[in-house]
Amino acid sequence: MGTTFVSMTESTSEGEIGFWMRDSILELWLRLLALHIPEPTSDLEMVYKIRNSWLLASRGCFQGCVPHDLSQATATPVGLQVVKEAISSLMDALADAPALLNGPTLNLLGIDGAFHGEFETARLIEVGRAFEDLLAGKLTCTVESTDWMPGSPQ
C-alpha cells in the first residue's frame, strides 16, 4: 500500500508543508472531490483541467505518487476558488452522508481495485479538514512527519 505526500508545492523538500496519505484514501477523496466540481457556465479551461487531473489521479493506477496536482490547481485565484468550493461542497455532502459507506457502493465510482467492507465517512471528513487546513496555511507538518495520515484508521 503506497503513500503520497500532499502539499501545495511541486517539489518535495524537507521544509515542505503538507501531509502523507495512503494512496487508496487519496484516490477516493480526489474522485469524490472531482465529482463536486460543478459544470462551468462558461469555457473555463482551469475547471476542466482540475476535474480531469483529479479523475485521472483517482483512477487507482498510481502507487506511491498519486498526482494530485494541488500546486497547479491552486496556482491561480480561479483554480484556488474551484478547489475551495469543491471541498466545501463535498464536506457538506459528507456531513449528511451515512456514517458508513459500503464497499460495493464505493466500487461504483470506477476506481481500479476494490473496496472491501465498510469505509467510515468520518475518515473522509478528516481528510477534508486536512485539505482545508493546508489551503489556509494552518499546518506545520513536513515531509518528515509521518505520525499523522488523514483518513487512515487510528
Side-chain angles (χ1 to χ4, degrees):
M1 185 180 311
T3 56
T4 297
F5 190 72
V6 177
S7 72
M8 289 177 45
T9 56
E10 290 191 39
S11 62
T12 301
S13 64
E14 290 183 20
E16 188 175 0
I17 301 297
F19 48 86
W20 288 97
M21 284 189 66
R22 296 200 186 284
D23 290 343
S24 60
I25 298 168
L26 179 56
E27 290 162 350
L28 175 58
W29 172 257
L30 291 176
R31 179 57 56 113
L32 294 171
L33 204 55
L35 297 173
H36 280 266
I37 296 176
E39 285 292 328
T41 55
S42 63
D43 186 25
L44 293 176
E45 182 181 341
M46 180 57 72
V47 175
Y48 292 111
K49 191 180 247 185
I50 294 170
R51 180 189 295 141
N52 289 340
S53 171
W54 286 347
L55 288 173
L56 174 62
S58 66
R59 188 71 186 137
C61 55
F62 299 96
Q63 288 296 312
C65 189
V66 175
H68 53 77
D69 293 334
L70 198 55
S71 60
Q72 291 91 347
T74 59
T76 66
V78 170
L80 181 60
Q81 189 64 29
V82 168
V83 172
K84 286 181 175 181
E85 288 176 4
I87 292 170
S88 178
S89 174
L90 178 52
M91 292 293 280
D92 287 347
L94 289 170
D96 293 332
L100 297 172
L101 306 173
N102 71 39
T105 300
L106 292 175
N107 290 332
L108 295 172
L109 294 173
I111 299 171
D112 288 350
F115 287 90
H116 304 284
E118 296 176 324
F119 193 94
E120 297 171 5
T121 304
R123 293 170 58 189
L124 290 169
I125 292 171
E126 181 182 31
V127 170
R129 288 187 183 130
F131 269 75
E132 290 172 333
D133 288 348
L134 179 62
L135 293 176
K138 295 180 181 178
L139 291 182
T140 58
C141 304
T142 66
V143 72
E144 294 178 334
S145 308
T146 58
D147 21 328
W148 177 63
M149 289 187 177
S152 293
Q154 303 301 327

